Amino acid sequence: MFKLSLLLAITVILFGLFNYVIDPIWCFKHANEFNRYQSNIDERQQKTNFLAFKQNGYDTLILGNSRTAQINQNDFKGMKAFNYATAAMTPYEYQGFIENFKVLSGAPKTIILGLDFNNTIAKKSALEKPPAYYREKTGESFYRFKTLITKDLFNYSILNLKLKRRIENKKFRQWQIVYDRNNIASLTPSNEAVYRKEFDKLITEIAHVFKDSYKYNPEVIRIYGEVVSGNPGSRVIAFTAPMSKPYFCAATKERSVEFEQWLREMVATFGEVWHFEHLNSVAENYERYFVDGNHFYPEIGTMIAHTISGSDSTSIPSDFGILLTKANIDEKIKKIRSEISECQ
Amino acid sequence: MLFNSYEFIFIFLPVTLVIYFLLNRMRLTIASNAWLLFTSLAFYSWWNVKYLPLILMSILFNYTIGYLLVSYDEVKKQIISKKGILVFGLALNIAFLGYFKYMDFFIKNVNLIFSHDVQLLQIVLPLGISFFTITQIAFLVDAYEGLVKERNLLNYSLFVTFFPHLLAGPILHHKEMMPQFAAVRNKVINYKNISHGLFLFCIGLFKKIVIADELSKSVKLGFESASNLNMVEAWVTSLSYSFQLYFDFSGYSDMAIGVGLMFNILLPINFNSPYKARNIIDFWNRWHMTLSRFIRTYLYAPIIRSFDNITFAKSMFATFLSMFIAGIWHGAGWTFIVWGALHGAALVVNHLWRKFKLPMTGLIGWALTFGFVNISLVLFRSNNMTDAWRVLKGMIGLNGILSATQLSFVPGDLGRGRFWRELLAGVNGNDSTIWTLLALLIFTLFARNSMAAERAFKPDLKNLVFIAVITFMAVINLSKISEFLYFQF
């Protein structure tokens, strides 16, 4: 029995040690050559673990979907921001993740919401785990150490090593979000053939979604309002995330009325909105700035962060971003309407 | 607390074992039994401490009734008859079980029949209630029959709550347990028992985590999409469930028996390769054997004894009724009732077959038995009769044999991975799904079962490596970390 216990213990320790070194779900603080590149396995759990175990004490919370996740949290001047945006995050999850942040890092002085027109077709999914689930996981006894001896974590560790090899050999096929050890995202590109195929498929899908089955969900504005009213101690800054021109046209061509409604209602709710989801030189030059029709490269995220936080930056195109306010909404809507008409 | 959890394997079990034998070494045998009782109650309360008072009340009540029955003849003047005390005890136990397990089922059916809209009570079923209640029912009946001598509350409590069997059996009989708790030789640590117990525990853990929990994925998908299952998917779903249930339940029993053995307590065997059975009588002598024993002793025998003269027809009635009640015991739903009735009927048919000495070859007998058990388990797993019918409909081919996207089939397709992925899309399967089920069938039919393996166990290098490998595989699968799947963009 002693030999068995010893054999098992050594195997389990070596297994756990391997997973510890790579740390694919961000439970530990260390950084090394092997864990340099991190896949986005489950950003909700990874980012919650980051707050629980690696670093907290942030004063600014960023929420949104995978597009907002591209923004470097360190680019916001004068704010110690944490980017809690995750793939496919819907407005229904916002307040839950705000609560997580409050518990793990304290009440935020500022909440930055990355919104987009896709929010207006968001539905609450019965399949989604509530945000509290991820926080409760971090509170389980020996959570970090239990996960080290799981087959799943081992598989994710191998995934990260393969990702490292692909990046270092510059062998890319399909684009992918890659994180570093400090919650900063970057994108690996697709190869040309895959890019073309995926781009066309995406634009066709979006056009179909916004044409045939689209129904404006009024709950979304209510949820935006709850973020404001539910967090009276926090300043809420809202922005709309940029899109490529084909994507913008596919989404708004048939839904200009709803798009306008959404903009007006957001301004009424937030007071002002930084609007990047319009036609501008970034949207036009999409092959340079977007890895697909939808996800912009981190340099665009930097432009957004600098614009919102009032950082001086000469690299921001002058036509990138409009501050919509109650005073100018009517005038700006006219310009947006003419942009949409360009899509016809 | 579950056996297949980090807390149990790395903390609870080692600490409980060490302190138990330490106390015994210091000749503090009452303290060691009290320690076992304490840890057993802690084991139970880990799930929800709110329900601890319930099990304690049940123990105290049944101990009191049992004490009154055991000491009945010592008291000269009794107000209530001995039978009255027993009936009172049984009635309250059945009412206790009935309230927690069957109340909402009863309300649902009253609403259905009388078109009422009485709100359901949403009663949470206390863990292990079916097991610790029937264990104590058996104790009361034996106390009435004069077969019980136990009057010690600590020993009685330990008998009911001994944590290896508390949540899911084996169903213990006081006659086989009390002497073991009392035996002095059992108080001394026995390294042979520890190694055999560990061997059995690790096998059980592997069966549950690596085999049963993996099968549960396709079972869940299959039953959730029951309306759309083609014939192959439906059979994959039902067979996967048959194996899932067997490996899960027998794995749990292995772990329970293994843990008991570590404490020098021999728990009764619960599974003896049931899928090797060649008839349904044999099946019930191999499947959940302690339940079969309970049914025979405390359902069938009293029903038979209630008749003035016993005939074959009456014994068949008793057989059917016993299994019908056993079906109800398994769960609060029509599916369980029908399942119990089907097995009752099958047992009757088997007895008739024997009575009239009709021929049956081993292979046909096996195929009929396994097929019947597999089909009846569809009812066992389904949420309701409608869902069960959906799967059964698929199994008889009423939803088609191929998937909707497969327009034709040629024998050559059988070797293509893509063919199987399309065919089994509804259960997220592929060609290895079929091979896995085939391998499991061969294994259950021809391999030694875990109890036989334990009897033959020797702590040599081969077994050391075997146990290390299966335990490692089980431990690294104890918890899951899933990827986030995009449900919306």
Side-chain angles (χ1 to χ4, degrees), chain A residues 216-328:
Chain A
Y216 186 86
N217 180 3
E219 275 211 331
V220 163
I221 293 293
R222 181 186 58 77
I223 293 170
Y224 293 166
E226 279 172 3
V227 171
V228 175
S229 62
N231 299 282
S234 306
R235 180 185 163 214
V236 180
I237 301 174
F239 72 90
T240 62
M243 289 171 171
S244 65
K245 181 177 175 180
Y247 193 108
F248 174 83
C249 290
T252 60
K253 199 163 78 166
E254 305 289 335
R255 298 291 160 199
S256 56
V257 169
E258 289 86 353
F259 189 69
E260 193 178 313
Q261 178 186 354
W262 178 62
L263 292 177
R264 286 185 186 280
E265 286 178 347
M266 278 199 298
V267 170
T269 302
F270 296 111
E272 60 182 37
V273 175
W274 275 107
H275 182 52
F276 299 98
E277 200 164 300
H278 67 107
L279 293 185
N280 49 54
S281 50
V282 168
E284 303 268 358
N285 200 358
Y286 56 89
E287 282 177 11
R288 183 190 154 188
Y289 291 120
F290 289 81
V291 75
D292 62 1
N294 187 21
H295 293 86
F296 48 81
Y297 282 107
E299 66 178 293
I300 305 300
T302 301
M303 290 184 200
I304 294 169
H306 285 182
T307 306
I308 289 173
S309 60
S311 232
D312 290 326
S313 183
T314 53
S315 63
I316 303 175
S318 56
D319 64 347
F320 182 66
I322 312 167
L323 182 62
L324 299 176
T325 64
K326 288 177 184 172
N328 70 11

Side-chain angles (χ1 to χ4, degrees), chain A residues 147-165:
Chain A
T147 58
L148 285 179
I149 49 171
T150 60
K151 189 183 86 176
D152 287 336
L153 205 73
F154 179 78
N155 289 339
Y156 298 140
S157 297
I158 298 291
L159 201 73
N160 278 356
L161 288 178
K162 285 182 179 171
L163 174 67
K164 174 174 152 50
R165 193 173 61 187

Side-chain angles (χ1 to χ4, degrees), chain A residues 1 3-4 7-8 11-12 15 41-42 44 87-88 90 118 121-123 125 127-129 141-142 146-147 149-153 156 206 247, chain B residues 6-7 10-11 46 191 194-195 198 202 214 459 463-465 467-469 471-472 475-484 486-489:
Chain A
M1 195 182 87
K3 282 181 194 168
L4 168 67
L7 180 64
L8 209 48
T11 315
V12 166
F15 186 83
I41 295 153
D42 182 353
R44 287 161 174 75
T90 70
N118 296 335
I121 52 171
K123 283 189 182 57
S125 169
L127 298 169
E128 269 167 16
K129 294 183 184 116
S141 50
F142 306 108
K146 284 193 296 200
T147 58
I149 49 171
T150 60
K151 189 183 86 176
D152 287 336
L153 205 73
Y156 298 140
I206 288 302
Y247 193 108
Chain B
Y6 296 98
E7 290 84 2
F10 295 112
I11 301 174
W46 190 269
Y191 290 106
I194 299 272
S195 65
L198 202 58
C202 293
E214 276 306 304
N463 278 321
L464 177 73
V465 171
I467 286 298
V469 167
T471 307
F472 178 72
V475 166
I476 66 173
N477 279 291
L478 269 177
S479 79
K480 305 279 179 218
I481 306 166
S482 43
E483 272 185 80
F484 181 78
Y486 286 66
F487 302 121
Q488 304 179 68
F489 63 98

Side-chain angles (χ1 to χ4, degrees), chain B residues 280 316 344-355 358:
Chain B
I280 202 74
M316 291 302 100
L347 283 165
V348 168
V349 167
N350 198 166
H351 280 290
L352 281 167
W353 205 273
R354 281 187 178 179
K355 181 176 164 67
L358 298 172

Side-chain angles (χ1 to χ4, degrees), chain A residues 4-5 67 83 85 96 106 304:
Chain A
L4 168 67
S5 306
R67 281 135 37 76
N83 193 333
I304 294 169

